[in-house]
Amino acid sequence: MVRRLVVMSVTALAVVLGAVSPGLAAGPRHIRGTETVPVYDYASAVRETVWVESPLDGDGARDRIAADIVRPREATTRVPVIMEASPYYTCCGRGNESELKKYAADGTVVSMPLYYDNYFVPRGYAFVGVDLSGTARSTGCEDVGGPAEVASAKAVIDWLNGRGTAFTADGRRATASWTTGRVGMIGKSWDGSVANGVAATGVRGLETIVPIGAISSWYDYQRYNGILRTQEYVRFLHSYVNGRPADACADELAGWRAGSGETTGDFTGYWAARDYRPDARNVRASVFIAHGINDKNVSTRQFGLWWDALARHGVERKLWLFQSGHEDPFDARRAEWVDTLHRWFDHYLHGLRNGIDREPRATLETAPGVWQDERDWPARGVRDRTLPLGDGTLGLGAAGRGVTKTYTDESLREDALVANPSAAVPGRLAFLSAPLTAPLRISGEPSVTLRIKVDRPTAALSARLVDYGTATRVDHFRSEGLVNLTTSSCWGAASATDDACYLDTAEVTVTGDHAVLTRGWADAAHHRSLRFSTPLLPDRWYDLTIPLNTYDVTLPAGHVLGLILGQSDPQFTVTNDQNATVSVDAGRSSLTLPATGATVIAPATPPTITTGPGAAERRSATDIPIVPLR
């Protein structure tokens, strides 16, 4: 048999691969070597809106999801898409300066929030801003992280890959012949949470996601192991972003509220439908996570457990951790972030071999303004250490056998809870290590295992790890650790209606003699399962584990590690389970610490520590519970 050698031109081969539309000239001029460069005119870019049909039926007709598109007019090849699906485009704004979408009189989008379109469209990308179901101009009902929300964003990816239906404002069918179908989703907070949810569907065409300060389980965002973060949070978040008439989604909202276990704190089917972690096995996209290590809005367990799940399934991933709270790395380390993001998208959306996939997997801010790259995360050499509790002591050698510590709830705020740990304070128990003889690196998710007896059917329990020692730290209780300056810098091209200039920012630091590292809460009656509660009997001992938020820190030699136990926590949670008396069997209780470095030794007697004002006290912080995601 004679085999014919078929020689294809670069243009013909690109057509087969979907990079060039038939009839278009070959050679993407926005690619030079291993990077994309800004060659297309942003001011004259194509700006259009399509309404994509979502497969979920909200009210007898398929929902239509508004997608605003900005793409290079002069491009002679198909281009990939950077997409941000958000509920905030017209209600609340995006970014540090709360930018909104803006439209001309004819409905054409003339200004997009953030810099993504300004920076990337000239470099041969399209940017698509999607109004999630039930928000802004989309129909349907916003179900707060649920199937309709995720399906609305996924539908746009399907349409970009020729698998869906969309229409223009005048009813004509719209096609996406201008794109390769390769999509990267990005977004902070709620927007990044949607990216996690869409990736968990395994949708083809989604090549990468960049979730920033994002949720991976909505239960863990609105509930803390059986304890409510605040009352009526489901209704609050829905109402906060709802773009429909007030009564359009009333029936749906009533069902969600009923299913969320408001009175029990249980993990119900409502929450299972909003937990993306079990579906990490479906993720095809690479994942680039960024998170503030002191984020008190979207807790760090959200990235920590998601990262672990992705690792178990071999998903390509990268991580940035920085010292501030619920912030975007664009405002924490601007130039380096934009450069890294550019190379990430170039590699995963344009297929450029720039080596970013072979670079260290983790980038961490280890102290204010101090950054380092590490091969992986958690830190190399970290292992779980079991640190026993004693009579006010913590660490190896703690003499806890036969020691019972008892305390009665006083609903203490955080500063009162952790200050002056050597003193006897009603409403808390304090356990202190000896001063560290060498640096101690904590990297991962700690947890506290307690053997307890309670005089009531349940109790709300809290636990905090505290660093007792003087240091200069990012003051994340003040503006999340970052403040705006009077200067600005520009990150991309501009049009008459949309620039890419943003106020510069600076970290806020404070020098203090102690700081809370990580926190955790649990309802004692959920000790068997989060799916149901089991009332406690007053004469029986129970075992309970309180997971703490994921953290990464290095404590210097000479500092003391403290574990502080409290009960009801008005600064962070809402509960009617107050005034309980709890006994802790110290000999059968312990702290599990993912760590490397110094051995944590228990002192013979607790060290004497006197502290000054805490961070929240200095800033007169208001209560935390009810907050928007953005």
Side-chain angles (χ1 to χ4, degrees), residues 37-189:
V37 293
V39 298
Y40 302 123
D41 180 45
Y42 175 76
S44 64
V46 176
R47 290 170 169 80
E48 58 189 343
T49 302
V50 299
W51 277 263
V52 179
E53 285 191 342
S54 177
L56 288 188
D57 183 352
D59 52 7
R62 288 185 182 273
D63 298 334
R64 291 202 174 183
I65 307 305
D68 292 311
I69 301 165
V70 182
R71 56 186 175 89
R73 187 177 297 275
E74 316 101 304
T76 57
T77 60
R78 293 186 177 122
V79 296
V81 170
I82 296 171
M83 173 173 145
E84 184 171 29
S86 175
Y88 290 129
Y89 279 129
T90 59
C91 76
C92 321
R94 302 310 302 124
N96 186 35
E97 298 173 39
S98 299
E99 291 185 310
L100 302 170
K101 283 183 181 178
K102 297 178 182 177
Y103 298 90
D106 64 358
T108 302
V109 64
V110 294
S111 180
M112 288 280 204
L114 303 175
Y115 62 96
Y116 302 137
D117 55 324
N118 308 80
Y119 187 87
F120 286 104
V121 169
R123 288 171 165 79
Y125 293 84
F127 178 75
V128 178
V130 178
D131 297 338
L132 289 178
S133 58
T135 71
R137 297 173 303 153
S138 294
T139 64
C141 290
E142 171 38 65
D143 62 350
V144 190
E149 177 180 298
V150 171
S152 67
K154 177 179 177 294
V156 177
I157 297 174
D158 283 331
W159 172 72
L160 290 167
N161 283 274
R163 299 188 298 266
T165 302
F167 301 89
T168 60
D170 58 8
R172 292 178 292 111
R173 289 284 290 268
T175 60
S177 58
W178 45 267
T179 179
T180 63
R182 297 176 67 86
V183 179
M185 292 187 70
I186 189 170
K188 176 195 166 193
S189 200

Side-chain angles (χ1 to χ4, degrees), residues 532-604:
F532 57 86
S533 60
T534 305
L536 308 183
L537 300 176
D539 58 348
R540 182 174 299 180
W541 289 96
Y542 296 88
D543 294 315
L544 173 84
T545 296
I546 306 174
L548 305 184
N549 286 321
T550 304
Y551 210 72
D552 195 289
V553 68
T554 298
L555 276 59
H559 283 214
V560 170
L561 180 65
L563 171 65
I564 309 296
L565 302 181
Q567 292 189 42
S568 61
D569 197 338
Q571 198 172 347
F572 289 84
T573 66
V574 171
T575 180
N576 292 322
D577 298 319
Q578 298 174 330
N579 304 316
T581 296
V582 176
S583 298
V584 177
D585 182 343
R588 297 189 179 183
S589 300
S590 61
L591 167 68
T592 299
L593 196 68
T596 184
T599 300
V600 181
I601 302 295

Side-chain angles (χ1 to χ4, degrees), residues 103-413:
Y103 298 90
D106 64 358
T108 302
V109 64
V110 294
S111 180
M112 288 280 204
L114 303 175
Y115 62 96
Y116 302 137
D117 55 324
N118 308 80
Y119 187 87
F120 286 104
V121 169
R123 288 171 165 79
Y125 293 84
F127 178 75
V128 178
V130 178
D131 297 338
L132 289 178
S133 58
T135 71
R137 297 173 303 153
S138 294
T139 64
C141 290
E142 171 38 65
D143 62 350
V144 190
E149 177 180 298
V150 171
S152 67
K154 177 179 177 294
V156 177
I157 297 174
D158 283 331
W159 172 72
L160 290 167
N161 283 274
R163 299 188 298 266
T165 302
F167 301 89
T168 60
D170 58 8
R172 292 178 292 111
R173 289 284 290 268
T175 60
S177 58
W178 45 267
T179 179
T180 63
R182 297 176 67 86
V183 179
M185 292 187 70
I186 189 170
K188 176 195 166 193
S189 200
W190 200 322
D191 307 357
S193 309
V194 178
N196 284 337
V198 175
T201 71
V203 60
R204 294 184 180 274
L206 181 60
E207 303 298 328
T208 191
I209 63 171
V210 185
I212 302 166
I215 292 166
S216 58
S217 166
W218 283 81
Y219 178 88
D220 285 351
Y221 178 70
Q222 297 182 52
R223 307 283 189 267
Y224 293 140
N225 298 292
I227 299 177
L228 272 64
R229 181 173 185 167
T230 192
Q231 293 175 319
E232 291 286 3
Y233 215 172
V234 171
R235 180 170 64 179
F236 167 72
L237 290 174
H238 169 83
S239 302
Y240 191 71
V241 300
N242 180 38
R244 305 293 306 283
D247 59 349
C249 300
D251 291 343
E252 289 85 349
L253 179 58
W256 301 327
R257 291 172 63 200
S260 67
E262 179 79 15
T263 60
T264 65
D266 292 350
F267 183 92
T268 63
Y270 172 90
W271 299 112
R274 290 158 175 80
D275 183 1
Y276 311 137
R277 296 170 194 159
D279 292 324
R281 63 185 180 277
N282 298 329
V283 175
R284 303 173 185 271
S286 61
V287 181
F288 184 2
I289 293 173
H291 214 110
I293 201 66
N294 290 301
D295 194 334
K296 299 177 294 299
N297 187 332
V298 177
S299 68
T300 51
R301 282 195 94 214
Q302 296 286 352
F303 92 79
L305 294 181
W306 184 232
W307 178 265
D308 291 345
L310 296 171
R312 287 194 296 271
H313 295 286
V315 175
E316 290 187 72
R317 63 202 185 281
K318 188 174 180 66
L319 178 67
W320 265 43
L321 294 180
F322 43 99
Q323 291 286 313
S324 55
H326 193 57
E327 291 289 351
D328 191 313
F330 179 74
D331 296 313
R333 197 189 189 202
R334 190 163 292 180
E336 293 82 357
W337 171 253
V338 173
D339 176 70
T340 304
L341 190 64
H342 179 192
R343 291 186 298 116
W344 184 265
F345 282 145
D346 275 0
H347 179 74
Y348 286 101
L349 297 183
H350 272 292
L352 301 182
R353 297 181 178 178
N354 56 20
I356 196 168
D357 55 322
R358 299 188 300 276
E359 294 176 2
R361 183 172 281 162
T363 297
L364 293 84
E365 185 182 15
T366 58
V370 178
W371 294 79
Q372 68 184 36
D373 293 330
E374 298 192 354
R375 187 179 70 177
D376 205 348
W377 192 88
R380 186 176 183 180
V382 162
R383 60 178 179 81
D384 283 346
R385 302 179 181 181
T386 300
L387 304 180
L389 306 187
D391 190 1
T393 62
L394 168 69
L396 297 181
R401 185 174 182 179
V403 174
T404 298
K405 307 288 285 185
T406 299
Y407 67 120
T408 300
D409 182 31
E410 292 286 341
S411 293
L412 298 175
R413 291 175 62 86

